[in-house]
Amino acid sequence: MLEQIEGSQAVAKAIAFCRPEVICAYPITPQTHIVEGCAKLIREGAIQNCEFINVESEFAALSVAIGSSAAGARTYTATASQGLLFMAEAVYNAAGLGLPIVMTIGNRAIGAPINIWNDHRDSMALRDAGWIQLHAETNQAAADLHIQAFKLAERLSAPVMVCMDGFVLTHAYERVEIPDQAQVDAFLPPYQPRQVLDPSDPYSIGAMVGPEAFMEVRYLAHDKLLQALGVIPEIQQEFKEIFGRESGGLFHSYRVEDAETVVVTLGSVAGTVKDTVDELREDGARVGVITLCSYRPFPLDGLRYALQGAAKVIVLEKSLALGFGGVLASDVRMALQDTGTHVHTVIAGLGGRPITRKSLLRLFGRVERGEIKDPHFLDLDLDIVRREIDNQRGQITAGPIAENILREIGPRAAKVV
Amino acid sequence: MSDMTAEQKVKFYQKGTFTVGNRLVDQARRSVQGSMERSNAITSGHRACQGCGEALGARYALDAAMRATEGQLIAVNATGCLEVFTTPYPETSWQVPWIHSLFGNAAAVASGVAAAMRVKGREQVRVVAQGGDGGTTDIGFGCLSGMFERNDDVLYICYDNEAYMNTGVQRSSATPPTARTATTPAVGPEPGNVFGTGKNLPLIAMAHNIPYVATASVSDLHDLERKVEKAMAIRGARYIHIFVPCPLGWGSASHDTIRIARLASECGLFPLFEAEHGEITGSLPIRRKVPVEEYLRPQKRFAHLFKDGGDGVARIARLQRMADANIARFGLQREAEETPL
Ligand SMILES: Cc1ncc(C[n+]2csc(CCOP(=O)(O)OP(=O)(O)O)c2C)c(N)n1
Ligand code: SF4
Ligand SMILES: [Mg+2]
């Protein structure tokens, strides 16, 4: 049924149809509406036979999830930003134990300075933990990906993060096709754990492993994520057969066939990029977009194939490896190594800075004219940056950078928000 | 055994030890270890040091829990000596379903297991979480308090050897004042761990008003088993804090583990008591009070207290005051009104 609904509520409903058995969570903006939605659906009886556990931290949230999943219950949790970092140790652990937990990330910047708005540095910080990371482009995708995530997680016995942009998606009201229970039941079989804590067949989970076997154990975890490169499209197809719509998969290409310049990006900004591409196409420019759905595993071969016609690639990413540059850009470069394709790193939208069509149009122009350096920081106010660098250089007791800048741009900052 | 012997009061103690031999106790109160049906939850072949109190305590506790639940038990373990010495892959000493996740999350993992059992309608399957003192009083404290507060159906057992043993004997918040550890060395004006620090987890557990809290010791394994069985008969969050000497970390002889544990309780430093819903319901009286010196002297971690020239005497007196305060607080010096088992 088509509903005008907030992204978080659409996700909560999708989760409900997946018949979760344990949901545990700790509140953090912008994840809150999702877990509040789940709690309400349980209390109202829309989700039956499910425990909602209010824990005391994100570390506990994922730890409870580890216990319930290992004991054979379909388990869901959600977090963002500081919360994801707070549970980091358990994030690696859940993957190491091969537990098919599904977790939503309402992507949000990481402090300091504390900031509740969207970028991707939270999930990027945990990208190598062994979780499958799927990124939603729209709220429809967010809802659909959660349904696929359980199937994917359980088929591979690996945990899955579904990343959706904080506020931009979590708090946005859009039209979403909400599935019905019969469809989800037809798509998603009951959870059959690969390993389970059971007194009738006792075994030890999480034993210490020394140098004699650790490499093999790690290799197998890597191999499992590589297998996901095949399973994700399979599940995309199975989903289409039942729900009748295209959702999920490794990545989505938009007007790429004859494109000379292709933007590669992640998440909700794809919509704005597509609009920009349409506008440029009207003027005859041969541009296109690839939006990655699966960031981990990273579809190296698929991307290389999809980008073979492109002369230039612009990686537009809401992440930044401090002291290095682009994160997504280095993955894309890896996919394109030895092809001669020119890859531009564009860091944008950190801490919720809007990425506008105007800025993107200007960016395309500058890329065409060969005017940008790598990495390029979209809409960075260089005046402010230079002045603060001078300020810090001039005096040892220059004070906190963030506060200095805010003092200077106070009136303007309010407008951005 | 006839009914008559079942009612017979125990009068005999093993010579010099003040413990009761298993054969002198009536059938029902005999140790599960004396029975062919014992579950061997932690079976032989593990790599604990000789005389390890933790290995002994865990074995008795888990076998008692197995008996109480008729084998319907899942164990969760924090990182620490117990986890390491029982499991190096591909070997395992655990004959119960067992999971180790992290150092600081055993209580939360156990909450998750309990939730799964509840939702699957398998509430006969019970959960025990276990950790060392570091995994319990320090890094796992948040998860533990959360589990208590939610009154999840978990028995949490802390094996207290008063330091981080698995990483080489560093101070934890359960390390007693004056004890030498690798991070509280016995040098300087205040050698060993300082006074006025640390926390009493059994009392903190009681402050959560959970249904059952107890302390126990490997010096009295009958009492330990009884407390575990009692805990398993109760639903909700339960906590048992077991005193487990560590010969390696304490610098004591392997054969002295039980004796030192007994001295700890008999001097008053480690009181044995039980509490329900935040109220103390019982304690084991001290049968033969000993001065704290008797407990401290056989352990090298306290050796500096007995060196000439320092203020060891004053510091021992301060430890004695702590012990006396415990005795007063828990009413430990009274006529043994019944034979403690
Ligand atoms: C997050 C984290 N910090 C530190 C460690 C290192 N570590 C492993 S076991 C251990 C000591 C355990 O001490 P305790 O809980 O008292 O158990 P014991 O070994 O004494 O039985 C430490 C510090 C770890 N594994 N994980
Ligand atoms: S170091 Fe101590 S706690 Fe660890 S195995 Fe040895 S005796 Fe037991
Ligand atoms: Mg310890």
Side-chain angles (χ1 to χ4, degrees):
Chain A
M1 200 178 69
L2 206 52
E3 277 187 49
Q4 181 74 18
I5 188 171
E6 190 204 35
S8 296
Q9 299 313 316
V11 167
K13 285 193 174 187
I15 297 294
F17 289 127
C18 295
R19 303 187 185 279
E21 295 171 297
V22 174
I23 297 178
C24 36
Y26 188 83
I28 181 166
T29 304
Q31 150 264 37
T32 40
H33 291 186
I34 301 174
V35 293
E36 289 163 8
C38 290
K40 188 154 175 280
L41 289 168
I42 293 175
R43 285 284 171 100
E44 289 170 353
I47 309 181
Q48 294 205 335
N49 213 20
C50 179
E51 292 271 335
F52 188 96
I53 302 182
N54 282 295
V55 288
E56 73 286 352
S57 74
E58 286 87 358
F59 178 66
L62 192 53
S63 298
V64 167
I66 286 169
S68 58
S69 183
R74 181 172 284 163
T75 303
Y76 171 76
T77 183
T79 190
S81 181
Q82 315 299 135
L84 182 62
L85 295 197
F86 201 80
M87 63 165 66
E89 194 192 10
V91 171
Y92 272 76
N93 192 255
L97 294 173
L99 297 172
I101 298 161
V102 172
M103 172 160 72
T104 309
I105 306 299
N107 284 107
R108 162 182 157 180
I110 290 171
I114 192 163
N115 172 301
I116 60 168
W117 291 276
N118 167 240
D119 71 34
H120 291 161
R121 289 193 69 223
D122 52 359
S123 58
M124 285 294 174
L126 275 299
R127 71 196 159 150
D128 299 322
W131 288 58
I132 291 166
Q133 290 189 327
L134 307 177
H135 276 259
E137 193 179 323
T138 60
N139 280 339
Q140 183 69 61
D144 294 348
L145 284 179
H146 280 88
I147 299 167
Q148 297 190 17
F150 282 105
K151 191 167 195 174
L152 179 59
E154 290 165 17
R155 189 171 289 177
L156 287 164
S157 204
V160 178
M161 275 182 213
V162 180
C163 304
M164 61 190 290
D165 287 331
F167 291 112
V168 184
L169 293 181
T170 55
H171 288 54
Y173 281 75
E174 280 182 355
R175 289 206 304 172
V176 178
E177 181 69 43
I178 302 289
D180 61 46
Q181 187 67 62
Q183 285 177 310
V184 179
D185 285 346
F187 174 76
L188 181 65
Y191 171 35
Q192 275 216 310
R194 258 187 218 190
Q195 49 176 1
V196 68
L197 295 165
D198 183 355
S200 64
D201 182 17
Y203 45 82
S204 300
I205 300 177
M208 177 174 254
V209 174
E212 68 286 355
F214 198 83
M215 283 280 285
E216 286 69 23
V217 172
R218 271 293 162 272
Y219 177 82
L220 289 167
H222 173 60
D223 185 67
K224 193 185 266 188
L225 285 212
L226 296 184
Q227 286 173 37
L229 288 171
V231 177
I232 290 168
E234 265 168 45
I235 286 179
Q236 176 185 28
Q237 189 54 35
E238 291 162 20
F239 186 88
K240 191 178 173 189
E241 277 158 24
I242 289 172
F243 297 87
R245 60 178 176 274
E246 204 72 67
S247 230
L250 296 172
F251 56 84
H252 309 138
S253 302
Y254 183 76
R255 305 187 85 167
V256 167
E257 301 75 38
D258 64 339
E260 285 169 355
T261 302
V262 177
V263 175
V264 177
T265 195
L266 270 178
S268 63
V269 73
T272 316
V273 182
K274 283 181 198 169
D275 289 347
T276 314
V277 161
D278 289 344
E279 194 173 330
L280 287 165
R281 285 254 173 197
E282 276 171 27
D283 301 334
R286 281 157 61 184
V287 288
V289 197
I290 289 181
T291 314
L292 281 159
C293 177
S294 172
Y295 178 63
R296 284 291 181 270
F298 193 81
L300 286 171
D301 293 341
L303 207 56
R304 184 187 175 95
Y305 185 75
L307 287 169
Q308 62 187 346
K312 280 184 197 156
V313 169
I314 302 172
V315 178
L316 181 71
E317 60 175 302
K318 295 180 178 176
S319 45
L320 169 63
L322 301 177
F324 175 70
V327 183
L328 179 57
S330 9
D331 297 287
V332 173
R333 282 202 176 89
M334 175 80 171
L336 295 177
Q337 64 179 330
D338 305 330
T339 60
T341 313
H342 199 92
V343 179
H344 295 278
T345 311
V346 178
I347 312 292
L350 298 184
R353 175 74 54 95
I355 302 174
T356 62
R357 197 132 60 119
K358 205 166 122 201
S359 295
L360 290 176
L361 283 171
R362 198 163 51 224
L363 173 73
F364 273 106
R366 296 185 66 187
V367 168
E368 270 329 293
R369 295 189 297 275
E371 281 176 11
I372 65 167
K373 280 204 296 189
D374 200 85
H376 177 73
F377 290 81
L378 192 72
D379 293 340
L380 180 72
D381 190 331
L382 276 173
D383 282 347
I384 288 182
V385 168
R386 287 202 193 101
R387 236 174 300 154
E388 185 57 21
I389 288 173
D390 286 345
N391 181 31
Q392 297 281 333
R393 210 174 263 151
Q395 39 177 333
I396 288 173
T397 53
I401 290 178
E403 283 71 6
N404 290 348
I405 290 184
L406 278 184
R407 205 176 307 121
E408 199 164 328
I409 62 164
R412 256 192 299 156
K415 250 194 331 204
V416 175
V417 172
Chain B
M1 282 250 161
S2 70
D3 286 338
M4 213 178 80
T5 41
E7 283 164 21
Q8 187 183 322
K9 275 263 183 188
V10 175
K11 296 197 192 72
F12 308 103
Y13 298 106
Q14 279 173 355
K15 205 173 151 206
T17 67
F18 279 82
T19 51
V20 178
N22 203 40
R23 278 174 300 132
L24 295 176
V25 193
D26 70 67
Q27 283 283 18
R29 299 172 87 180
R30 281 192 185 182
S31 166
V32 54
Q33 299 298 330
S35 144
M36 292 296 281
E37 275 93 59
R38 70 178 184 205
S39 51
N40 291 328
I42 307 168
T43 197
S44 57
H46 58 71
R47 296 151 158 87
C49 309
Q50 204 175 38
C52 173
E54 187 162 292
L56 180 68
R59 178 185 169 88
Y60 270 72
L62 280 229
D63 279 351
M66 283 290 274
R67 173 157 79 180
T69 59
E70 293 176 353
Q72 298 297 298
L73 192 74
I74 293 173
V76 178
N77 221 119
T79 312
C81 266
L82 179 62
E83 167 259 333
V84 172
F85 72 62
T86 51
T87 67
Y89 176 87
E91 291 147 20
T92 178
S93 288
W94 298 93
Q95 306 208 79
V96 290
W98 179 91
I99 183 168
H100 160 246
S101 170
L102 296 168
F103 190 19
N105 71 356
V109 172
S111 291
V113 175
M117 291 306 126
R118 220 159 38 234
V119 80
K120 295 200 170 282
R122 301 183 65 195
E123 280 167 298
Q124 79 283 7
V125 180
R126 310 294 297 282
V127 190
V128 171
Q130 12 177 28
D133 50 290
T136 304
T137 68
D138 290 332
I139 199 167
F141 183 66
C143 285
L144 183 64
S145 177
M147 185 277 278
F148 285 163
E149 167 276 316
R150 291 186 302 268
N151 199 23
D152 290 332
D153 189 28
V154 172
L155 167 61
Y156 189 101
I157 302 177
C158 170
Y159 302 108
D160 183 6
N161 51 25
E162 302 192 327
Y164 292 101
M165 295 314 176
N166 189 52
T167 37
V169 200
Q170 296 84 15
R171 176 202 182 269
S172 79
S173 61
T175 302
T178 75
R180 179 204 68 195
T181 68
T183 51
T184 54
V187 293
E190 212 178 333
N193 193 32
V194 295
F195 279 95
T197 60
K199 54 176 118 160
N200 186 323
L201 213 69
L203 295 183
I204 296 171
M206 281 168 57
H208 290 76
N209 282 325
I210 56 175
Y212 187 67
V213 173
T215 60
S217 170
V218 290
S219 67
D220 194 335
L221 292 162
H222 285 293
D223 179 64
L224 186 161
E225 286 183 330
R226 183 185 65 76
K227 284 170 175 166
V228 170
E229 292 191 21
K230 181 166 176 184
M232 294 318 289
I234 299 169
R235 291 277 173 179
R238 290 141 291 141
Y239 180 73
I240 300 184
H241 191 104
I242 305 181
F243 192 78
V244 291
C246 164
L248 184 111
W250 295 9
S252 55
S254 298
H255 59 255
D256 270 347
T257 294
I258 307 254
R259 185 170 77 93
I260 287 173
R262 180 173 313 111
L263 291 169
S265 292
E266 298 206 320
C267 73
L269 280 176
F270 192 83
L272 294 168
F273 63 93
E274 286 174 282
E276 291 175 36
H277 300 287
E279 299 297 331
I280 303 242
T281 52
S283 59
L284 282 193
I286 292 172
R287 274 177 281 157
R288 182 194 60 149
K289 190 181 176 230
V290 297
V292 292
E293 281 102 312
E294 259 194 62
Y295 164 67
L296 302 171
R297 205 179 275 279
Q299 306 178 49
K300 290 207 185 77
R301 62 176 174 155
F302 297 116
H304 57 91
L305 293 173
F306 298 96
K307 278 208 184 109
D308 292 340
D311 58 354
V313 174
R315 302 179 86 218
I316 291 170
R318 204 165 165 190
L319 288 168
Q320 185 65 57
R321 285 201 294 280
M322 284 171 61
D324 292 342
N326 279 340
I327 291 169
R329 180 177 200 168
F330 297 99
L332 302 178
Q333 230 176 0
R334 57 183 198 269
E335 278 306 303
E337 57 288 328
E338 57 174 303
T339 307
L341 289 179

